[in-house]
Amino acid sequence: MKVGLITNGIKLDYEDIINKFDWIRVSLDTSTREEYNRLKGSDAFDQVLNNIYRMVDSKVMIGVGYVVSKHNIEHLEKLVLRLKDYGVEYIYFRPVIDHKELAVDTNLNYLKKYETDTFSILTDAMEENKITGNGGVPCVAHSVTTVVTADGGVYLCGRLNKYDWWEPIGNLYRDNFHSIWTSEKRKMQSKLVSDPSFCLKHCPECRITKYNLLFKRTGQVKTIDFI
């Protein structure tokens, strides 16, 4: 299995073991020091950029995650050029969800002109992650992801847990992960999200939807010779 790390990049305490990872993605989410101070309440922008620059010298795939909102979209081009110059392998843009007042309706494909064979600008999620109702298909991709909250709660779905009635399937302070993942409660919730009508009614915007749609299209292929 590939071993990755998603980090805010402020500290680099793991520098001595960095090459044990296959990939590292830094959640930056701002393009300037001023934006970072205002949105994250910390004067750490230059420190994070310096840590990204240091990590690029490793043998690990280094990328940057960026959740786009109306407060951090003004200086994207400048940031993209800076990360490209650093040697970062990709920047991954995603829309803000659950906070409609922060959302922006913009096309970032103009940034694609800065792509090279070694630097990718990923913008597909800006539309794909906005799909609600799981596209009206069953959720089969839920089995490859989970969410563990700070209080030890284990959730089958990290999006349905926005509802008070969607309960955790267990707690790591009481049980081990294997017993939670093979429990009857998980099987019951898995059955619910396997029902397209349930997904259509309850699923909010979700990054997993694009995988479920891919699985559906793959399942519709009738012959291995189909192009």
Side-chain angles (χ1 to χ4, degrees):
M1 294 181 67
K2 299 293 186 181
V3 178
L5 174 69
I6 299 176
T7 172
N8 60 20
I10 292 178
K11 293 185 177 181
L12 205 55
D13 297 342
Y14 45 85
E15 191 168 12
D16 58 329
I17 61 166
I18 196 169
N19 284 313
K20 294 185 181 294
F21 295 105
D22 293 292
W23 56 268
I24 295 176
R25 185 167 78 229
V26 179
S27 300
L28 187 57
D29 305 323
T30 57
S31 299
T32 66
R33 181 182 180 186
E34 292 71 27
E35 286 179 357
Y36 200 100
N37 290 352
R38 175 163 40 89
L39 299 179
K40 301 207 173 191
S42 171
D43 189 16
F45 182 77
D46 294 332
Q47 180 179 341
V48 174
L49 266 290
N50 181 61
N51 285 341
I52 291 174
Y53 186 77
R54 287 162 62 189
M55 285 190 283
V56 166
D57 287 333
S58 68
K59 299 176 182 178
V60 181
M61 177 184 288
I62 305 298
V64 168
Y66 201 105
V67 177
V68 180
S69 77
K70 68 179 184 181
H71 295 307
N72 63 6
I73 198 170
E74 186 176 354
H75 305 285
L76 288 181
E77 199 161 5
K78 180 179 178 181
L79 176 69
V80 165
L81 288 171
R82 188 172 185 178
L83 294 175
K84 178 182 179 181
D85 185 59
Y86 278 10
V88 168
E89 294 195 41
Y90 69 88
I91 181 168
Y92 172 43
F93 291 107
R94 293 176 294 156
V96 65
I97 55 177
D98 292 338
H99 295 279
K100 301 298 185 184
E101 72 280 5
L102 299 179
V104 290
D105 184 16
T106 186
N107 190 326
L108 299 182
N109 287 337
Y110 72 95
L111 297 171
K112 291 278 191 177
K113 61 187 176 184
Y114 299 117
E115 280 190 316
T116 67
D117 291 339
T118 57
F119 178 61
S120 299
I121 299 171
L122 310 176
T123 61
D124 290 349
M126 290 297 296
E127 295 302 323
E128 293 174 341
N129 286 17
K130 293 179 181 179
I131 300 174
T132 60
N134 194 42
V137 300
C139 184
V140 295
H142 72 272
S143 60
V144 299
T145 182
T146 188
V147 170
V148 180
T149 53
D151 62 358
V154 178
Y155 285 84
L156 178 95
C157 175
R159 297 296 291 126
L160 289 173
N161 68 351
K162 66 180 287 185
Y163 301 118
D164 292 337
W165 49 264
W166 189 260
E167 299 179 345
I169 57 176
N171 191 289
L172 289 177
Y173 288 114
R174 295 192 301 267
D175 302 292
N176 62 61
F177 185 80
H178 180 268
S179 65
I180 294 172
W181 205 242
T182 56
S183 67
E184 290 302 316
K185 192 164 189 177
R186 177 183 177 269
K187 293 176 183 177
M188 181 271 291
Q189 289 191 0
S190 295
K191 186 175 180 179
L192 284 176
V193 298
S194 296
D195 180 355
S197 62
F198 176 90
C199 293
L200 196 60
K201 182 177 181 180
H202 298 293
C203 288
E205 303 96 331
C206 182
R207 64 187 179 88
I208 299 296
T209 298
K210 55 181 172 286
Y211 302 114
N212 287 317
L213 292 172
L214 174 62
F215 291 145
K216 181 183 179 182
R217 289 195 296 271
T218 303
Q220 291 173 335
V221 175
K222 301 304 181 183
T223 170
I224 60 172
D225 300 316
F226 178 77
I227 298 178

